[in-house]
Amino acid sequence: EAEVAQSPRYKITEKSQAVAFWCDPISGHATLYWYRQILGQGPELLVQFQDESVVDDSQLPKDRFSAERLKGVDSTLKIQPAELGDSAMYLCASSPTRSGANVLTFGAGSRLTVL
Amino acid sequence: GDSVTQMEGPVTLSEEAFLTINCTYTATGYPSLFWYVQYPGEGLQLLLKATKADDKGSNKGFEATYRKETTSFHLEKGSVQVSDSAVYFCALRLLGGGADGLTFGKGTHLIIQP
């Protein structure tokens, strides 16, 4: 069964350091999403890509967060500098097309702890 | 804006009990509705979905019916098992000109005791 790959699974960093997460969606999935899930809460959308273009990044804290999907395949989410409040699970998901009936498939996530 | 409201947890049940997790939504259009499940330390897995009114999604003994008149999508299972212990998320998805990702509820932690 096809999966969304994410790395690293766990990351511990000190505040003010830079951190990066990588996501490889299911082959052929044009739409890619990054979510942030704070412990005990539901995931919240940070950014959505359609191929290599950003569809929506209105919830991305652009002073410290950046995301790219240069060739329309895999994607990187970067935080610089990390703050204590960034500790969370970062989830990547992909979907074949922009259809309400299509399912989003999630990766296992990258858990960030900022000390 | 669009939102999903789920019953607060944790919900603790004995094995073989009947389960209901309530979910209601607010949306400006006609959403598709989903239940996802998250096991400890893992990502989210699709449990079931429904794309139009009166559709019933079902999987692994779980069911939910899309009720447009009450804007609800309650999750049910007739007899729960210890292995059903997890966090359950209700979510909606709307197509529009902008973002069309899932909007999630806060999640309901389900604990099944043997």
Side-chain angles (χ1 to χ4, degrees):
Chain A
E1 185 175 337
E3 295 183 345
V4 175
Q6 289 190 248
S7 66
R9 285 295 310 274
Y10 304 94
K11 179 70 177 179
I12 300 173
T13 191
E14 294 185 345
K15 64 179 182 179
S16 80
Q17 296 299 303
V19 61
F21 304 110
W22 176 79
C23 171
D24 192 11
I26 292 173
S27 178
H29 280 197
T31 313
L32 184 147
Y33 309 82
W34 282 102
Y35 283 83
R36 177 170 60 185
Q37 184 181 19
I38 295 171
L39 190 64
Q41 297 184 21
E44 295 180 326
L45 182 67
L46 291 175
V47 61
Q48 176 183 342
F49 290 92
Q50 180 68 25
D51 299 309
E52 68 276 6
S53 301
V54 173
V55 172
D56 188 287
D57 62 358
S58 58
Q59 300 305 308
L60 190 70
K62 298 182 190 63
D63 56 336
R64 297 184 301 106
F65 285 64
S66 64
E68 61 183 18
R69 193 184 184 198
L70 294 176
K71 297 182 179 179
V73 180
D74 58 339
S75 176
T76 302
L77 178 69
K78 297 179 181 178
I79 308 174
Q80 183 174 15
E83 296 181 352
L84 296 178
D86 296 332
S87 294
M89 175 81 90
Y90 291 84
L91 294 164
C92 180
S94 68
S95 179
T97 59
R98 298 184 67 189
S99 165
N102 278 334
V103 169
L104 271 67
T105 302
F106 285 81
S110 295
R111 179 166 295 283
L112 173 65
T113 302
V114 181
L115 302 176
Chain B
D2 304 326
S3 65
V4 174
T5 303
Q6 292 180 236
M7 61 190 294
E8 298 275 334
V11 173
T12 304
L13 296 172
S14 296
E15 202 165 23
E16 299 183 1
F18 184 86
L19 169 70
T20 299
I21 300 178
N22 290 336
C23 170
T24 58
Y25 67 90
T26 301
T28 52
Y30 198 164
S32 295
L33 300 174
F34 303 81
W35 277 99
Y36 278 80
V37 59
Q38 186 175 37
Y39 298 99
E42 298 184 11
L44 281 77
Q45 303 174 22
L46 176 71
L47 184 58
L48 52 83
K49 70 172 185 178
T51 58
K52 61 182 186 297
D54 300 324
D55 267 2
K56 177 185 283 187
S58 62
N59 185 26
K60 300 181 181 179
F62 290 90
E63 295 182 340
T65 301
Y66 190 141
R67 301 291 188 197
K68 188 178 180 183
E69 64 275 13
T70 55
T71 61
S72 64
F73 194 53
H74 305 319
L75 183 67
E76 297 182 335
K77 187 175 185 182
S79 177
V80 292
Q81 305 300 313
V82 172
S83 57
D84 294 327
S85 298
V87 181
Y88 292 80
F89 292 94
C90 185
L92 65 83
R93 186 180 189 194
L94 267 171
L95 278 188
D100 61 8
L102 293 163
T103 299
F104 287 92
K106 292 186 176 181
T108 303
H109 187 192
L110 176 64
I111 301 169
I112 306 301
Q113 297 178 333

